[in-house]
Amino acid sequence: MRRTSAFALVAVVAACVVPGVAQAATSQQASPTPAPLQWGECPADSGVTTLECATLDVPLDYQDPTGRQIEIMISRLASDNQEQRRGVLLTNPGGPGASGLNFPTDLKDAGLPQSVLDSYDIIGIDPRGVGQSTPVTCDLSLEQQLMGNLPPYAHNAEDVVERAVEVELVAEQCATSETAWMLPHTTTANAARDLDMVRQALGEETASFLGYSYGTHLGAVYTTLFPETSDRVVIDSSLPPNGLDHEAGKLMGPGFEERFPDFAAYAAARPELGLGNTPDEVRAKYFEIAERLDEEPTTELTGALFRIATLSNLARDSHFPTLVELWQQAEAGRPVSVASNPLTLSDTDDLGFDNPLSSHLYVLCGDNEWSRSIESYQDDVEAARKPYPMYGPAAANIRACAFWPEIDRAPVEVDDQGPSNVLLVQNTRDASTPLIGAQQMRDALGDRVRMVTADQGGHGVYLFGTNACANDSVTDYLVTGERVSEDRFCAAE
């Protein structure tokens, strides 16, 4: 769940349930047919240089499909093998709020097998509200951008109240911004409907899907709404079926505790790093540094940001050297480099995070009802403190959704109705989307899904982990359609 790359939970989100397939079909039949796509160069400010891009119009409100329209921008890495080409693979890197335009290139660079590249046109998408699609804003200040999308560690009930004051202002800004008209419609359900509009615009009878992190929720909702036109669906590093609500956010407390021993073992095996000679000493060092920074923060780093940066760098084993650097700099009181700390202060008045953070909140707060009781968050923080002291009191802290304006929500309930065409892959030790959430998603999808669990740590299995059993399971399904016949556990390699 990092801010600037593939699994971004971007740096910085009693409902009326849509009755699933029947309503989706009605809405789509009434929607205007997308115009043919005009492919060309991607916008210069998108940072996408090796792909082609196109835009399509989609309804702002699928209950009024011929009303106001917004733009969705997509990218394409086309297959060069027309004989093997099966169709299109829609992708999502995570978030919500993450740009997906360059994700086809990211996947290729991460080692997406040639057999997959031959089988599909890989489609990247900036979801509604994000980046080159019609964007949203909350007019966030530099200081608010630096707050990020993850709550800070709460030491006591007063810290929750202090955070509540900050996020209430953010919620008010979102509700009064120039894009507040998009606020009720920037949801996962509508993003999933947009995916089917993309499929239609591409001229495809069906579309496959590969989504990571938040993209698992998007993919599950997509195939729930469109079970007959979603082809091979892969969801990797899964949220629970309700998406990133408060309960899912709290799971980062136990997730951090389950993943941290991997880093502690790495650092303890290298005593020359100075972080401890045993895993217990490394764990103690974490508390020592965090508590010192709580008392004496530096210009670049506070205790809260130290904890968040540690969580961020637990996403990959390959990030461990960067995390070591961050700890060493914090331990020595040296300035923290941008490479080590993605939350470093800037000399400008805009970090460029307004749109990712704003769109993150639009979706997070629009998808689910959140408690409006500050006391309930104080209770959750205290309940997390003893069992999950490393990160639990941050994961349970209050977010802007507690002060979101009243809107009509229509979340989609992920269920087991439809063809058995979903493959879920999950690491055993994932700090951001822990295994328990994936197991809940697996239960919700029932016989529609098979689950492959890899005994490894980190956020992201396919291509971003090293377990050949899990990687091959995904490639085989995408290329041949042969999915594991029953849930599979892939032992550590």
Side-chain angles (χ1 to χ4, degrees), residues 13 15-16 18 23 58-63 70 72 92 95-97 125-130 134 136 179-196 214-215 217-219 221-222 225-226 242-244 358-370 401 404-413:
V13 241
C16 176
V18 174
Q23 179 165 334
V58 300
L60 169 69
D61 181 359
Y62 279 89
Q63 298 302 312
I70 59 175
I72 300 295
N92 182 275
I125 305 169
D126 270 3
R128 60 169 55 206
V130 176
T134 302
V136 297
T179 60
W181 54 275
M182 289 184 64
L183 188 146
H185 309 290
T186 308
T187 63
T188 298
N190 282 333
R193 297 182 177 101
D194 293 344
L195 291 181
D196 198 63
Y214 161 75
H217 180 52
L218 176 60
V221 170
Y222 170 56
L225 286 173
F226 304 101
N242 288 340
L244 189 53
S358 299
S359 53
H360 177 87
L361 288 173
Y362 274 53
V363 174
L364 210 69
C365 306
D367 274 1
N368 292 289
E369 197 76 45
W370 292 65
C401 302
W404 211 243
E406 295 288 352
I407 59 175
D408 291 329
R409 292 177 174 86
V412 174
E413 182 177 354

Side-chain angles (χ1 to χ4, degrees), residues 208-444:
S208 295
F209 179 86
L210 172 62
Y212 296 79
S213 195
Y214 161 75
T216 61
H217 180 52
L218 176 60
V221 170
Y222 170 56
T223 197
T224 296
L225 286 173
F226 304 101
E228 302 306 324
T229 57
S230 57
D231 189 14
R232 299 168 184 173
V233 176
V234 177
I235 55 177
D236 186 321
S237 305
S238 186
L239 287 168
N242 288 340
L244 189 53
D245 60 6
H246 182 57
E247 293 305 311
K250 289 194 299 182
L251 293 180
M252 286 188 281
F256 192 109
E257 300 279 350
E258 293 162 358
R259 170 60 167 157
F260 185 80
D262 292 338
F263 173 71
Y266 171 89
R270 298 162 177 80
E272 69 276 7
L273 298 177
L275 301 181
N277 296 320
T278 67
D280 285 345
E281 290 181 1
V282 177
R283 179 182 171 92
K285 180 64 69 175
Y286 170 85
F287 288 107
E288 177 188 325
I289 295 174
E291 290 166 6
R292 185 171 68 251
L293 288 170
D294 286 336
E295 296 295 326
E296 300 177 4
T298 67
T299 302
E300 292 120 336
L301 198 62
T302 65
L305 295 186
F306 170 77
R307 294 178 177 92
I308 291 172
T310 297
L311 173 72
S312 175
N313 284 294
L314 290 177
R316 304 273 188 282
D317 287 2
S318 60
H319 292 182
F320 286 175
T322 298
L323 186 53
V324 166
E325 180 187 3
L326 169 67
W327 280 37
Q328 289 174 332
Q329 291 170 333
E331 172 77 354
R334 299 196 305 270
V336 175
S337 69
V338 174
S340 298
N341 177 17
L343 306 169
T344 303
L345 287 168
S346 168
D347 292 332
T348 71
D349 60 359
D350 183 10
L351 292 177
F353 294 155
D354 174 77
N355 174 249
L357 284 166
S358 299
S359 53
H360 177 87
L361 288 173
Y362 274 53
V363 174
L364 210 69
C365 306
D367 274 1
N368 292 289
E369 197 76 45
W370 292 65
S371 171
R372 294 181 177 272
S373 165
I374 295 176
E375 290 78 10
S376 70
Y377 296 98
Q378 292 172 323
D379 291 344
D380 285 346
V381 163
E382 286 311 308
R385 192 175 309 283
K386 184 174 181 179
Y388 314 120
M390 302 190 82
Y391 199 76
N397 204 351
I398 194 168
R399 303 192 191 212
C401 302
F403 303 98
W404 211 243
E406 295 288 352
I407 59 175
D408 291 329
R409 292 177 174 86
V412 174
E413 182 177 354
V414 173
D415 60 34
D416 60 358
Q417 302 302 302
S420 188
N421 65 337
V422 183
L423 179 65
L424 190 163
V425 288
Q426 179 73 30
N427 287 330
T428 53
R429 301 179 304 284
D430 183 335
S432 298
T433 55
L435 178 61
I436 186 173
Q439 291 169 333
Q440 292 170 6
M441 178 70 86
R442 197 259 175 269
D443 290 343

